[in-house]
Amino acid sequence: KQEVTQIPAALSVPEGENLVLNCSFTDSAIYNLQWFRQDPGKGLTSLLLIQSSQREQTSGRLNASLDKSSGRSTLYIAASQPGDSATYLCAVWDQNFVFGPGTRLSVLP
Amino acid sequence: GAGVSQSPSNKVTEKGKDVELRCDPISGHTALYWYRQSLGQGLEFLIYFQGNSAPDKSGLPSDRFSAERTGGSVSTLTIQRTQQEDSAVYLCAVGFPSTDTQYFGPGTRLTVL
């Protein structure tokens, strides 16, 4: 059974810092991995999608990497801003979505 | 997914036909979300229900898409005059407004020929 974990559970940083969020999964037989952002009371927003054959994806200040063999992905956020404050979820597509518990990020002005 | 069923699991239809997708959550989940995932694309938010009302319909891609929820439980997503670009997996998720956790159903794979 696929399990997804994320560390840290919560993170608070001052504005402008670069930061890394970590995601681990137990079964490497995945179709893709996605990073999502969740704002309170809102639906999930997909940030980056990495197909199983890819190693990384970039969008603006976000960069996500995927190492299937070790069952790990990282989300790198450069020059963090208060508007980045949200819960960040990673999920693997393995017959169905399996989500990690999320990292709650607070970026302080 | 934890207590969320969707039907049908697979649907193949011809271009121009209407389809109705159903989400049947276990009781107690007041928030309900519809998403879709097209081949090679990230998850796309469609609509959010709180109870029977939809405060956020911003993700519906066109006026061919509509959704309703009755009794605070079952929800249907209707796509009229389907197009080939509507082909995707349509996912329903439920949650409690007090938490951020969403529980996804298994999805309906829609193929428009």
Side-chain angles (χ1 to χ4, degrees), chain A residues 5-12 19-23 35-36 38 86-90 100-106:
Chain A
T5 56
Q6 290 184 246
I7 54 172
L11 182 62
S12 184
L19 54 100
V20 175
L21 309 182
N22 297 287
C23 172
W35 282 93
F36 297 89
Q38 183 169 26
T87 296
Y88 290 80
L89 297 156
C90 78
T103 294
R104 191 178 299 272
L105 173 66
S106 296

PDB file of all heavy atoms in Angstrom, chain A residues 5-12 19-23 35-36 38 86-90 100-106:
ATOM      1  N   THR A   5       4.670  10.599   2.910  1.00  0.00           N
ATOM      2  CA  THR A   5       4.960  11.406   4.090  1.00  0.00           C
ATOM      3  C   THR A   5       5.611  12.716   3.656  1.00  0.00           C
ATOM      4  O   THR A   5       6.234  12.798   2.581  1.00  0.00           O
ATOM      5  CB  THR A   5       5.892  10.665   5.068  1.00  0.00           C
ATOM      6  OG1 THR A   5       7.087  10.284   4.376  1.00  0.00           O
ATOM      7  CG2 THR A   5       5.212   9.420   5.616  1.00  0.00           C
ATOM      8  N   GLN A   6       5.458  13.727   4.498  1.00  0.00           N
ATOM      9  CA  GLN A   6       6.051  15.026   4.213  1.00  0.00           C
ATOM     10  C   GLN A   6       6.693  15.592   5.461  1.00  0.00           C
ATOM     11  O   GLN A   6       6.134  15.493   6.558  1.00  0.00           O
ATOM     12  CB  GLN A   6       4.974  16.004   3.708  1.00  0.00           C
ATOM     13  CG  GLN A   6       4.436  15.680   2.331  1.00  0.00           C
ATOM     14  CD  GLN A   6       3.462  16.729   1.844  1.00  0.00           C
ATOM     15  OE1 GLN A   6       2.277  16.457   1.683  1.00  0.00           O
ATOM     16  NE2 GLN A   6       3.963  17.927   1.579  1.00  0.00           N
ATOM     17  N   ILE A   7       7.861  16.165   5.268  1.00  0.00           N
ATOM     18  CA  ILE A   7       8.519  16.880   6.353  1.00  0.00           C
ATOM     19  C   ILE A   7       9.077  18.191   5.823  1.00  0.00           C
ATOM     20  O   ILE A   7       9.458  18.271   4.655  1.00  0.00           O
ATOM     21  CB  ILE A   7       9.656  16.039   6.998  1.00  0.00           C
ATOM     22  CG1 ILE A   7      10.663  15.550   5.930  1.00  0.00           C
ATOM     23  CG2 ILE A   7       9.085  14.884   7.790  1.00  0.00           C
ATOM     24  CD1 ILE A   7      11.874  14.888   6.520  1.00  0.00           C
ATOM     25  N   PRO A   8       9.052  19.259   6.635  1.00  0.00           N
ATOM     26  CA  PRO A   8       8.482  19.270   7.989  1.00  0.00           C
ATOM     27  C   PRO A   8       6.956  19.376   7.950  1.00  0.00           C
ATOM     28  O   PRO A   8       6.393  19.663   6.907  1.00  0.00           O
ATOM     29  CB  PRO A   8       9.109  20.524   8.586  1.00  0.00           C
ATOM     30  CG  PRO A   8       9.257  21.443   7.424  1.00  0.00           C
ATOM     31  CD  PRO A   8       9.617  20.560   6.254  1.00  0.00           C
ATOM     32  N   ALA A   9       6.323  19.181   9.080  1.00  0.00           N
ATOM     33  CA  ALA A   9       4.864  19.336   9.163  1.00  0.00           C
ATOM     34  C   ALA A   9       4.475  20.804   9.102  1.00  0.00           C
ATOM     35  O   ALA A   9       3.422  21.161   8.569  1.00  0.00           O
ATOM     36  CB  ALA A   9       4.338  18.701  10.452  1.00  0.00           C
ATOM     37  N   ALA A  10       5.340  21.645   9.636  1.00  0.00           N
ATOM     38  CA  ALA A  10       5.089  23.083   9.615  1.00  0.00           C
ATOM     39  C   ALA A  10       6.419  23.806   9.525  1.00  0.00           C
ATOM     40  O   ALA A  10       7.445  23.304   9.986  1.00  0.00           O
ATOM     41  CB  ALA A  10       4.320  23.520  10.856  1.00  0.00           C
ATOM     42  N   LEU A  11       6.363  24.986   8.922  1.00  0.00           N
ATOM     43  CA  LEU A  11       7.577  25.753   8.691  1.00  0.00           C
ATOM     44  C   LEU A  11       7.224  27.228   8.704  1.00  0.00           C
ATOM     45  O   LEU A  11       6.253  27.646   8.064  1.00  0.00           O
ATOM     46  CB  LEU A  11       8.170  25.360   7.337  1.00  0.00           C
ATOM     47  CG  LEU A  11       9.483  25.987   6.890  1.00  0.00           C
ATOM     48  CD1 LEU A  11      10.598  25.605   7.858  1.00  0.00           C
ATOM     49  CD2 LEU A  11       9.830  25.523   5.471  1.00  0.00           C
ATOM     50  N   SER A  12       8.015  27.999   9.427  1.00  0.00           N
ATOM     51  CA  SER A  12       7.807  29.434   9.487  1.00  0.00           C
ATOM     52  C   SER A  12       9.127  30.113   9.158  1.00  0.00           C
ATOM     53  O   SER A  12      10.147  29.830   9.791  1.00  0.00           O
ATOM     54  CB  SER A  12       7.319  29.841  10.886  1.00  0.00           C
ATOM     55  OG  SER A  12       7.036  31.218  10.931  1.00  0.00           O
ATOM     56  N   LEU A  19      13.561  28.006   0.517  1.00  0.00           N
ATOM     57  CA  LEU A  19      13.209  26.891   1.386  1.00  0.00           C
ATOM     58  C   LEU A  19      12.924  25.630   0.591  1.00  0.00           C
ATOM     59  O   LEU A  19      12.653  25.680  -0.617  1.00  0.00           O
ATOM     60  CB  LEU A  19      12.003  27.254   2.264  1.00  0.00           C
ATOM     61  CG  LEU A  19      10.760  27.757   1.540  1.00  0.00           C
ATOM     62  CD1 LEU A  19       9.757  26.638   1.398  1.00  0.00           C
ATOM     63  CD2 LEU A  19      10.136  28.915   2.296  1.00  0.00           C
ATOM     64  N   VAL A  20      13.009  24.504   1.295  1.00  0.00           N
ATOM     65  CA  VAL A  20      12.823  23.194   0.674  1.00  0.00           C
ATOM     66  C   VAL A  20      11.793  22.398   1.465  1.00  0.00           C
ATOM     67  O   VAL A  20      11.901  22.286   2.690  1.00  0.00           O
ATOM     68  CB  VAL A  20      14.156  22.406   0.626  1.00  0.00           C
ATOM     69  CG1 VAL A  20      13.921  20.999   0.083  1.00  0.00           C
ATOM     70  CG2 VAL A  20      15.168  23.141  -0.235  1.00  0.00           C
ATOM     71  N   LEU A  21      10.823  21.868   0.765  1.00  0.00           N
ATOM     72  CA  LEU A  21       9.842  20.973   1.360  1.00  0.00           C
ATOM     73  C   LEU A  21      10.101  19.565   0.835  1.00  0.00           C
ATOM     74  O   LEU A  21      10.414  19.392  -0.356  1.00  0.00           O
ATOM     75  CB  LEU A  21       8.415  21.411   0.997  1.00  0.00           C
ATOM     76  CG  LEU A  21       8.072  22.880   1.260  1.00  0.00           C
ATOM     77  CD1 LEU A  21       6.618  23.150   0.893  1.00  0.00           C
ATOM     78  CD2 LEU A  21       8.350  23.263   2.687  1.00  0.00           C
ATOM     79  N   ASN A  22       9.942  18.581   1.694  1.00  0.00           N
ATOM     80  CA  ASN A  22      10.281  17.216   1.346  1.00  0.00           C
ATOM     81  C   ASN A  22       9.064  16.295   1.316  1.00  0.00           C
ATOM     82  O   ASN A  22       8.159  16.428   2.144  1.00  0.00           O
ATOM     83  CB  ASN A  22      11.293  16.647   2.350  1.00  0.00           C
ATOM     84  CG  ASN A  22      12.593  17.404   2.327  1.00  0.00           C
ATOM     85  OD1 ASN A  22      13.379  17.282   1.391  1.00  0.00           O
ATOM     86  ND2 ASN A  22      12.826  18.221   3.340  1.00  0.00           N
ATOM     87  N   CYS A  23       9.088  15.371   0.391  1.00  0.00           N
ATOM     88  CA  CYS A  23       8.010  14.396   0.230  1.00  0.00           C
ATOM     89  C   CYS A  23       8.645  13.030  -0.011  1.00  0.00           C
ATOM     90  O   CYS A  23       9.585  12.914  -0.817  1.00  0.00           O
ATOM     91  CB  CYS A  23       7.133  14.803  -0.946  1.00  0.00           C
ATOM     92  SG  CYS A  23       5.885  13.589  -1.440  1.00  0.00           S
ATOM     93  N   TRP A  35       2.701  18.408  -6.837  1.00  0.00           N
ATOM     94  CA  TRP A  35       2.717  19.296  -5.679  1.00  0.00           C
ATOM     95  C   TRP A  35       1.517  20.236  -5.798  1.00  0.00           C
ATOM     96  O   TRP A  35       1.253  20.792  -6.869  1.00  0.00           O
ATOM     97  CB  TRP A  35       4.008  20.098  -5.615  1.00  0.00           C
ATOM     98  CG  TRP A  35       5.171  19.311  -5.100  1.00  0.00           C
ATOM     99  CD1 TRP A  35       6.089  18.609  -5.826  1.00  0.00           C
ATOM    100  CD2 TRP A  35       5.536  19.153  -3.731  1.00  0.00           C
ATOM    101  NE1 TRP A  35       7.002  18.012  -5.000  1.00  0.00           N
ATOM    102  CE2 TRP A  35       6.694  18.334  -3.702  1.00  0.00           C
ATOM    103  CE3 TRP A  35       5.022  19.612  -2.518  1.00  0.00           C
ATOM    104  CZ2 TRP A  35       7.342  17.976  -2.522  1.00  0.00           C
ATOM    105  CZ3 TRP A  35       5.656  19.261  -1.338  1.00  0.00           C
ATOM    106  CH2 TRP A  35       6.792  18.456  -1.345  1.00  0.00           C
ATOM    107  N   PHE A  36       0.824  20.386  -4.670  1.00  0.00           N
ATOM    108  CA  PHE A  36      -0.366  21.221  -4.620  1.00  0.00           C
ATOM    109  C   PHE A  36      -0.199  22.277  -3.547  1.00  0.00           C
ATOM    110  O   PHE A  36       0.537  22.107  -2.573  1.00  0.00           O
ATOM    111  CB  PHE A  36      -1.613  20.401  -4.263  1.00  0.00           C
ATOM    112  CG  PHE A  36      -1.972  19.352  -5.257  1.00  0.00           C
ATOM    113  CD1 PHE A  36      -1.436  18.078  -5.150  1.00  0.00           C
ATOM    114  CD2 PHE A  36      -2.855  19.620  -6.268  1.00  0.00           C
ATOM    115  CE1 PHE A  36      -1.774  17.096  -6.051  1.00  0.00           C
ATOM    116  CE2 PHE A  36      -3.201  18.637  -7.180  1.00  0.00           C
ATOM    117  CZ  PHE A  36      -2.654  17.371  -7.074  1.00  0.00           C
ATOM    118  N   GLN A  38      -2.738  24.438  -0.928  1.00  0.00           N
ATOM    119  CA  GLN A  38      -4.092  24.538  -0.403  1.00  0.00           C
ATOM    120  C   GLN A  38      -4.190  25.757   0.494  1.00  0.00           C
ATOM    121  O   GLN A  38      -3.477  25.883   1.482  1.00  0.00           O
ATOM    122  CB  GLN A  38      -4.479  23.285   0.374  1.00  0.00           C
ATOM    123  CG  GLN A  38      -5.914  23.344   0.872  1.00  0.00           C
ATOM    124  CD  GLN A  38      -6.395  22.019   1.400  1.00  0.00           C
ATOM    125  OE1 GLN A  38      -5.601  21.200   1.845  1.00  0.00           O
ATOM    126  NE2 GLN A  38      -7.681  21.785   1.354  1.00  0.00           N
ATOM    127  N   ALA A  86       0.659  28.935   2.917  1.00  0.00           N
ATOM    128  CA  ALA A  86      -0.391  27.968   2.578  1.00  0.00           C
ATOM    129  C   ALA A  86       0.074  26.604   3.056  1.00  0.00           C
ATOM    130  O   ALA A  86       1.180  26.463   3.589  1.00  0.00           O
ATOM    131  CB  ALA A  86      -0.643  27.924   1.076  1.00  0.00           C
ATOM    132  N   THR A  87      -0.781  25.621   2.839  1.00  0.00           N
ATOM    133  CA  THR A  87      -0.367  24.233   3.073  1.00  0.00           C
ATOM    134  C   THR A  87       0.035  23.630   1.738  1.00  0.00           C
ATOM    135  O   THR A  87      -0.694  23.750   0.755  1.00  0.00           O
ATOM    136  CB  THR A  87      -1.498  23.414   3.705  1.00  0.00           C
ATOM    137  OG1 THR A  87      -1.794  23.956   4.997  1.00  0.00           O
ATOM    138  CG2 THR A  87      -1.089  21.953   3.872  1.00  0.00           C
ATOM    139  N   TYR A  88       1.180  23.001   1.713  1.00  0.00           N
ATOM    140  CA  TYR A  88       1.701  22.393   0.491  1.00  0.00           C
ATOM    141  C   TYR A  88       1.602  20.881   0.614  1.00  0.00           C
ATOM    142  O   TYR A  88       2.091  20.287   1.574  1.00  0.00           O
ATOM    143  CB  TYR A  88       3.137  22.834   0.248  1.00  0.00           C
ATOM    144  CG  TYR A  88       3.214  24.288  -0.144  1.00  0.00           C
ATOM    145  CD1 TYR A  88       3.152  25.289   0.821  1.00  0.00           C
ATOM    146  CD2 TYR A  88       3.294  24.671  -1.482  1.00  0.00           C
ATOM    147  CE1 TYR A  88       3.169  26.631   0.464  1.00  0.00           C
ATOM    148  CE2 TYR A  88       3.315  25.997  -1.845  1.00  0.00           C
ATOM    149  CZ  TYR A  88       3.250  26.972  -0.864  1.00  0.00           C
ATOM    150  OH  TYR A  88       3.254  28.299  -1.224  1.00  0.00           O
ATOM    151  N   LEU A  89       0.948  20.301  -0.367  1.00  0.00           N
ATOM    152  CA  LEU A  89       0.713  18.860  -0.365  1.00  0.00           C
ATOM    153  C   LEU A  89       1.410  18.229  -1.554  1.00  0.00           C
ATOM    154  O   LEU A  89       1.392  18.785  -2.653  1.00  0.00           O
ATOM    155  CB  LEU A  89      -0.784  18.569  -0.471  1.00  0.00           C
ATOM    156  CG  LEU A  89      -1.658  19.071   0.667  1.00  0.00           C
ATOM    157  CD1 LEU A  89      -3.088  19.250   0.218  1.00  0.00           C
ATOM    158  CD2 LEU A  89      -1.617  18.073   1.810  1.00  0.00           C
ATOM    159  N   CYS A  90       1.984  17.085  -1.338  1.00  0.00           N
ATOM    160  CA  CYS A  90       2.436  16.298  -2.474  1.00  0.00           C
ATOM    161  C   CYS A  90       1.544  15.067  -2.576  1.00  0.00           C
ATOM    162  O   CYS A  90       0.990  14.602  -1.570  1.00  0.00           O
ATOM    163  CB  CYS A  90       3.907  15.909  -2.380  1.00  0.00           C
ATOM    164  SG  CYS A  90       4.293  14.546  -1.288  1.00  0.00           S
ATOM    165  N   GLY A 100       0.184  13.163   0.737  1.00  0.00           N
ATOM    166  CA  GLY A 100       0.899  13.314   1.984  1.00  0.00           C
ATOM    167  C   GLY A 100       0.092  14.192   2.928  1.00  0.00           C
ATOM    168  O   GLY A 100      -0.909  14.782   2.535  1.00  0.00           O
ATOM    169  N   PRO A 101       0.523  14.301   4.179  1.00  0.00           N
ATOM    170  CA  PRO A 101      -0.230  15.076   5.164  1.00  0.00           C
ATOM    171  C   PRO A 101      -0.061  16.577   5.008  1.00  0.00           C
ATOM    172  O   PRO A 101      -0.815  17.345   5.599  1.00  0.00           O
ATOM    173  CB  PRO A 101       0.363  14.600   6.493  1.00  0.00           C
ATOM    174  CG  PRO A 101       1.754  14.184   6.145  1.00  0.00           C
ATOM    175  CD  PRO A 101       1.684  13.618   4.761  1.00  0.00           C
ATOM    176  N   GLY A 102       0.934  16.999   4.223  1.00  0.00           N
ATOM    177  CA  GLY A 102       1.120  18.418   3.974  1.00  0.00           C
ATOM    178  C   GLY A 102       2.147  19.073   4.870  1.00  0.00           C
ATOM    179  O   GLY A 102       2.481  18.577   5.954  1.00  0.00           O
ATOM    180  N   THR A 103       2.654  20.200   4.391  1.00  0.00           N
ATOM    181  CA  THR A 103       3.536  21.084   5.157  1.00  0.00           C
ATOM    182  C   THR A 103       2.852  22.441   5.212  1.00  0.00           C
ATOM    183  O   THR A 103       2.548  23.027   4.168  1.00  0.00           O
ATOM    184  CB  THR A 103       4.912  21.231   4.500  1.00  0.00           C
ATOM    185  OG1 THR A 103       5.599  19.982   4.534  1.00  0.00           O
ATOM    186  CG2 THR A 103       5.737  22.289   5.229  1.00  0.00           C
ATOM    187  N   ARG A 104       2.614  22.906   6.419  1.00  0.00           N
ATOM    188  CA  ARG A 104       1.975  24.217   6.595  1.00  0.00           C
ATOM    189  C   ARG A 104       3.060  25.273   6.640  1.00  0.00           C
ATOM    190  O   ARG A 104       3.860  25.305   7.560  1.00  0.00           O
ATOM    191  CB  ARG A 104       1.147  24.234   7.876  1.00  0.00           C
ATOM    192  CG  ARG A 104       0.246  25.450   8.002  1.00  0.00           C
ATOM    193  CD  ARG A 104      -0.578  25.383   9.284  1.00  0.00           C
ATOM    194  NE  ARG A 104      -1.448  24.206   9.307  1.00  0.00           N
ATOM    195  CZ  ARG A 104      -2.664  24.193   8.808  1.00  0.00           C
ATOM    196  NH1 ARG A 104      -3.165  25.262   8.242  1.00  0.00           N
ATOM    197  NH2 ARG A 104      -3.388  23.093   8.882  1.00  0.00           N
ATOM    198  N   LEU A 105       3.076  26.125   5.622  1.00  0.00           N
ATOM    199  CA  LEU A 105       4.118  27.143   5.490  1.00  0.00           C
ATOM    200  C   LEU A 105       3.584  28.518   5.860  1.00  0.00           C
ATOM    201  O   LEU A 105       2.512  28.917   5.382  1.00  0.00           O
ATOM    202  CB  LEU A 105       4.639  27.175   4.045  1.00  0.00           C
ATOM    203  CG  LEU A 105       5.618  28.295   3.693  1.00  0.00           C
ATOM    204  CD1 LEU A 105       6.933  28.124   4.471  1.00  0.00           C
ATOM    205  CD2 LEU A 105       5.899  28.322   2.196  1.00  0.00           C
ATOM    206  N   SER A 106       4.347  29.207   6.679  1.00  0.00           N
ATOM    207  CA  SER A 106       4.055  30.607   7.007  1.00  0.00           C
ATOM    208  C   SER A 106       5.277  31.440   6.637  1.00  0.00           C
ATOM    209  O   SER A 106       6.384  31.165   7.111  1.00  0.00           O
ATOM    210  CB  SER A 106       3.755  30.778   8.498  1.00  0.00           C
ATOM    211  OG  SER A 106       2.592  30.086   8.861  1.00  0.00           O
TER     212      SER A 106
END
